[in-house]
């Protein structure tokens, strides 16, 4: 399957969930977008949220992962709102997820976020963002499905362009509190969930959407954690 034909799920830090999905036609991909409720996604009673996703007994670490396998840290070839604008993915996600922003023109990015406010979904705290040398310590961009985890679960077999797309996919990115991102590392849901338990539903459904969109499996322990978290979603 062409991994450019994906199911997309992105959430702003103010808990607005935007679901966009793609389906294959007989000759071409057709894209559609659905805006969900502004609070949390819903789940049909009795539905298996992991339907179509392979569940493996264990995560087998390959120990040959390296960040450069996914290309440069950020690029401008992404589908974030306003993407392909000269600004890299990090700037686009900051622009998407922060509020009360001011902007500055830097290098090729005419509208880089200079200051703003992050309502962090992982910790339920409010963080004042100011661009500077140590800004990464306060606000970081998290890969919801971690790159190292994806590598172990099958991304090692993808082409470089496919991995670059995954690493810069707004559906798999969220601006979060820096320490929470560091605490998570490359942990899957069985080992780490956001401290803000009110975000369990959104986090689980985003994680699941990315797995499904990229046809990645999940290990059994995390499958249980995801189902448990998704059980907190309101009934659709």
């Amino acid at each position: 399957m062409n991994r450019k034909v994906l199911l997309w799920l992105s959430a702003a830090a103010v808990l607005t969930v935007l679901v966009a999905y793609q389906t294959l036609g007989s000759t071409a991909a057709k894209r559609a977008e659905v805006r969900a409720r502004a609070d949390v996604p819903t789940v049909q009673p009795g539905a298996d949220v992991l339907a179509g996703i392979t569940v493996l007994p264990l995560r087998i670490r390959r120990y040959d992962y390296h960040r450069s396998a996914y290309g440069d840290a950020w690029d401008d070839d992404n589908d974030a709102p306003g993407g392909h604008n000269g600004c890299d993915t990090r700037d686009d996600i900051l622009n998407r997820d922060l509020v009360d922003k001011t902007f500055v023109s830097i290098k090729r990015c005419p509208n880089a976020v200079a200051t703003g406010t992050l309502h962090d979904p992982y910790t339920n705290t409010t963080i004042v963002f100011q661009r500077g040398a140590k800004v990464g310590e306060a606000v970081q961009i998290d890969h919801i499905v971690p790159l190292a985890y994806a590598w172990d679960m099958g991304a090692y077999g993808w082409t470089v362009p496919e991995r670059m797309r995954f690493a810069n996919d707004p559906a798999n990115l969220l601006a979060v509190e820096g320490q929470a991102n560091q605490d998570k590392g490359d942990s899957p849901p069985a080992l780490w969930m956001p401290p803000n338990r009110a975000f369990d539903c959104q986090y689980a459904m985003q994680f699941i959407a990315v797995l499904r969109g990229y046809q990645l499996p999940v290990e059994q322990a995390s499958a249980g954690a995801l189902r448990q978290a998704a059980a907190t979603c309101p009934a659709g």
Side-chain angles (χ1 to χ4, degrees), residues 8-196:
W8 304 87
L9 176 68
S10 60
V14 291
L15 309 188
T16 297
V17 178
L18 175 64
V19 180
Y21 58 89
Q22 295 181 330
T23 55
L24 279 174
S26 57
T27 59
K30 298 178 181 179
R31 184 171 185 174
E33 292 187 352
V34 176
R35 182 170 294 278
R37 292 183 181 180
D39 47 1
V40 292
T42 60
V43 175
Q44 292 293 329
D48 180 7
V49 293
L50 293 178
I53 296 174
T54 300
V55 178
L56 302 178
L58 296 169
R59 171 189 182 181
I60 300 177
R61 289 186 176 272
R62 292 180 52 86
Y63 295 105
D64 58 352
Y65 164 73
H66 49 100
R67 177 61 180 83
S68 61
Y70 288 89
D72 294 336
W74 305 114
D75 64 25
D76 186 33
D77 186 20
N78 67 77
D79 290 330
H84 306 278
N85 57 359
C87 303
D88 65 25
T89 307
R90 174 181 168 79
D91 281 311
D92 288 335
I93 299 303
L94 290 173
N95 194 8
R96 185 195 70 186
D97 290 355
L98 271 59
V99 298
D100 301 326
K101 298 165 289 190
T102 65
F103 298 90
V104 63
S105 179
I106 58 171
K107 297 181 180 179
R108 293 181 300 171
C109 183
N111 289 298
V113 176
T115 64
T117 301
L118 172 68
H119 299 294
D120 176 39
Y122 283 2
T123 63
N124 197 31
T125 57
T126 298
I127 302 168
V128 176
F129 172 92
Q130 184 170 3
R131 182 174 294 273
K134 293 187 177 181
V135 70
E137 297 178 8
V139 176
Q140 297 180 10
I141 308 301
D142 179 44
H143 288 91
I144 297 166
V145 176
L147 300 184
Y149 180 77
W151 179 269
D152 292 341
M153 305 305 282
Y156 64 86
W158 296 353
T159 66
V160 172
E162 287 171 330
R163 289 196 290 263
M164 290 177 64
R165 187 172 183 87
F166 181 83
N168 289 275
D169 186 348
N172 194 34
L173 298 172
L174 199 60
V176 299
E177 192 258 354
Q179 187 58 55
N181 187 44
Q182 294 300 312
D183 291 344
K184 173 182 174 179
D186 68 349
S187 298
L191 299 178
W192 189 92
M193 288 288 291
N196 176 22

